[in-house]
Amino acid sequence: MHFISEDLEDYVANHSQAEPELLAKLNKETHQKIMQPRMLSGHFQGRVLSMLSKIIRPKHILEIGTYTGYAALCLAEGLAENGTLDTIDIEEELVDFQRKYFDASPWKDQIFQHLGDAIAIIPTLNKKFDLVFIDADKENYVNYFHLIVPMMNKGGIILSDNVLWSGKVLEEVKPNDKSTPVLLDYNQLLNTDPRVETVLLPIRDGLTVSRVL
């Protein structure tokens, strides 16, 4: 997943805003206690998410794929006054871990957790979103996109994580690989769908920024 040298990645992180103390604690505890800590957004990408959210100043944010809550807290930094962040995850064992850090943040009353299948939950959210972050099961990225676009405000931003998939998007697809073909279709969709304009950023494992027209 390192598309530039680790030394250069360290330089980039060291010359970006410092990781907030609460997020540093979350980062450390995730690596100590939770499986697959590489799923965490981490310091640099987290600061990118925070900066984008602060620029957008969203009233309503939707996150698909909470994991331990790091990205949600980064995105919450840009919430407009009285804004909300709905975050969806299917892993019940992570709910209390997430809540502990959400409750320790200034946005504890603005972050709403949803446990279950995002395909079923998204249509029940009676909101128009200004910012969406997709970072869940890759096989459903296309489905999430088609569900979300009608629920976005004009000019809203959809962020899609892991769209380079450790470089697998450039490799021959293996017979048992279910995620890469969907991501290839998804990247093509974002680049051609007339409802959005898109730029793919080579940040970490690939981050796409799509603006709803």
Side-chain angles (χ1 to χ4, degrees):
M1 202 164 62
H2 294 280
F3 299 119
I4 60 175
S5 72
E6 292 190 47
D7 287 342
L8 198 53
E9 284 187 351
D10 290 340
Y11 182 88
V12 168
N14 291 334
H15 289 79
S16 300
Q17 183 191 37
E19 185 177 39
E21 182 179 351
L22 179 65
L23 289 176
K25 290 179 180 178
L26 194 165
N27 194 337
K28 182 177 180 180
E29 188 172 1
T30 297
H31 279 80
Q32 290 173 336
K33 298 179 179 180
I34 308 297
M35 296 285 288
Q36 296 181 301
R38 72 192 294 268
M39 291 171 58
L40 193 82
S41 288
H43 171 202
F44 174 63
Q45 183 172 327
R47 291 304 85 204
V48 172
L49 297 177
S50 169
M51 182 67 76
L52 289 171
S53 186
K54 288 172 181 174
I55 292 169
I56 297 163
R57 293 296 291 167
K59 179 71 174 178
H60 297 301
I61 299 173
L62 171 62
E63 178 186 46
I64 306 172
T66 316
Y67 189 47
T68 56
Y70 190 101
L73 288 171
C74 294
L75 294 167
E77 293 177 29
L79 271 174
E81 187 176 359
N82 299 320
T84 66
L85 189 154
D86 290 273
T87 183
I88 305 170
D89 204 279
I90 202 166
E91 300 294 342
E92 185 175 1
E93 64 270 20
L94 293 177
V95 171
D96 290 341
F97 187 102
Q98 300 158 5
R99 194 73 246 172
K100 177 175 72 171
Y101 282 95
F102 293 161
D103 286 346
S105 78
W107 309 282
K108 62 180 181 179
D109 297 324
Q110 296 168 270
I111 299 177
F112 300 93
Q113 295 164 283
H114 304 271
L115 177 64
D117 179 7
I119 296 292
I121 292 170
I122 291 169
T124 70
L125 301 174
N126 188 27
K127 295 177 183 176
K128 295 287 280 187
F129 294 100
D130 306 295
L131 178 60
V132 173
F133 183 44
I134 304 175
D135 186 16
D137 54 316
K138 311 312 164 194
E139 291 88 343
N140 270 312
Y141 266 36
V142 172
N143 295 327
Y144 294 145
F145 177 79
H146 287 305
L147 276 175
I148 287 165
V149 171
M151 300 176 68
M152 300 289 296
N153 282 316
K154 185 176 180 179
I157 299 296
I158 300 171
L159 304 174
S160 308
D161 200 16
N162 304 118
V163 291
L164 294 180
W165 208 223
S166 299
K168 292 179 184 177
V169 291
L170 294 180
E171 300 171 359
E172 183 177 349
V173 178
K174 296 179 180 178
N176 61 343
D177 185 349
K178 297 181 180 179
S179 298
T180 303
V182 176
L183 284 171
L184 289 168
D185 290 342
Y186 183 68
N187 291 340
Q188 181 67 13
L189 171 65
L190 293 187
N191 198 39
T192 57
D193 193 301
R195 296 173 294 177
V196 297
E197 57 183 358
T198 293
V199 61
L200 197 165
L201 305 176
I203 293 172
R204 202 162 174 260
D205 195 25
L207 180 70
T208 301
V209 181
S210 302
R211 177 176 174 267
V212 177
L213 300 175

